[in-house]
Every structure is written in C-alpha cells, then in structure tokens.
C-alpha cells in the first residue's frame, strides 16, 4: 500500500547524510555529478552498505578535484547510494579505484542488483537538485546500468 499526502509517496522518501566537502569545495564549476545506486537483495544489507559508503566518502580528501559527497538511502525501495561532485572527470576514476571502494564493491556485488550510475555536467552546484535529477535519470531508464547526459546546457538539470 502506498500512502499519499500532498503528492508524496512514502516509498520515494530519500534520507541523506550530511554533505562532506572535498578539497575542491571552492571550485566555481562546471561540475561533474555522479549518482550511484545499489539495491541489495536483503533489507538487512542496507545499513551495512550505508556505513561502508559513509566511510568511503571520508576518503574524498585524498582526491584533489573532489567537490563533495553525500550518501543516501531510499528505505521504501531498498536502495542505497551516493552523490559525488567533481571539478574534473578524472577524479571519479581515481575514487572508484581506491582500495576500499574496490573491496566494498567486491563484497556486495553478488548480494543484489547490479550497481547503477548516472553522470552529467552542470554549471551550478545545487546538491539536493542534483540528487533528485540523478534519481530521476536512473528511474527513467531502469534497464540501463549507466546513464550519461553529455550536454552541459540540458534544461533538465
């Protein structure tokens, strides 16, 4: 059963960690946004994945072009993920190669649906709007593991 109050569907609730600023927090843009999403097979894994993602987010200080990161959970959809923001596209590649990131992905890869991601560039740093946009991008293309929007001037941002 879905409960609606003023157009809100409880299963769409998104709970976010506080924003963690990276070394490039003062960058002026444009910014590369990346939303990742994992849907574990078991609800009990959500908390463990959230804690692991939070620890991983603390490692952004190792990457010069990291603007910041937050972790999110959609408990009604059994989804957990992150929004990371970068001053250049090489930073994300360095982040996913961090030993802790590789270890976390290897640990949970077989315990749910494949990890999914959305990536795009925008001129402004609007964190909550970016998370909402990334989730819309993933919801709009549920059969794709990677959704990429290339146009910086896309009005959907």
């Amino acid at each position: 059963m879905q409960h609606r109050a003023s157009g809100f569907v409880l299963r769409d609730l998104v709970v976010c960690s506080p924003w963690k600023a990276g070394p490039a927090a003062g960058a002026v843009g444009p910014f590369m946004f990346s939303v990742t999403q994992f849907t574990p097979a078991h609800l009990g894994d959500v908390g463990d994945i959230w804690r692991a993602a939070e620890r991983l987010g603390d490692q952004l200080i190792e990457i010069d072009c990291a603007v910041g990161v937050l972790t999110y959970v959609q408990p009604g959809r059994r989804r957990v993920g992150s929004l990371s923001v970068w001053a250049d596209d090489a930073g994300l590649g360095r982040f996913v190669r961090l030993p802790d990131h590789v270890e976390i992905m290897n640990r949970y890869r077989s315990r749910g649906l494949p990890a999914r991601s959305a990536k795009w560039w925008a001129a402004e740093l609007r964190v909550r709007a970016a998370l909402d946009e990334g989730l819309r991008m993933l919801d709009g293309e549920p059969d794709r593991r990677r959704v990429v929007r290339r146009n910086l001037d896309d009005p959907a941002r």
Side-chain angles (χ1 to χ4, degrees):
M1 172 194 278
Q2 293 182 352
H3 297 282
R4 287 192 182 268
S6 304
F8 177 75
V9 178
L10 188 57
R11 74 182 230 120
D12 292 334
L13 174 69
V14 179
V15 179
C16 300
S17 69
W19 177 251
K20 295 178 183 180
V28 294
F31 303 98
M32 188 185 76
F33 294 87
S34 175
V35 170
T36 60
Q37 181 179 88
F38 184 69
T39 306
H42 303 286
L43 185 60
D45 284 339
V46 170
D48 291 339
I49 295 168
W50 169 279
R51 285 184 291 280
E54 279 290 289
R55 285 190 306 273
L56 190 59
D58 291 337
Q59 295 179 18
L60 254 79
I61 60 170
E62 297 178 25
I63 302 172
D64 291 341
C65 58
V67 175
V69 65
L70 65 76
T71 304
Y72 72 89
V73 63
Q74 288 180 290
R77 293 182 179 224
R78 205 177 61 244
R79 294 177 179 166
V80 62
S82 67
L83 165 70
S84 58
V85 183
W86 305 90
D88 72 33
D89 56 359
L92 180 59
R94 288 194 295 275
F95 183 69
V96 299
R97 288 189 303 272
L98 287 174
D100 287 351
H101 184 270
V102 172
E103 190 270 327
I104 289 166
M105 295 304 292
N106 288 339
R107 181 184 322 150
Y108 290 104
R109 182 172 282 121
S110 65
R111 297 174 75 167
L113 299 175
R116 300 181 66 226
S117 66
K119 184 171 82 168
W120 70 102
W121 286 86
E124 296 179 60
L125 179 61
R126 297 184 342 207
V127 174
R128 184 57 205 222
L131 178 60
D132 292 344
E133 177 61 17
L135 295 175
R136 273 193 299 276
M137 288 170 67
L138 291 173
D139 286 347
E141 300 200 39
D143 297 328
R144 294 186 61 196
R145 288 187 61 197
R146 288 181 180 79
V147 180
V148 177
R149 185 174 58 220
R150 300 199 185 281
N151 186 353
L152 178 64
D153 298 321
D154 191 328
R157 68 181 166 114

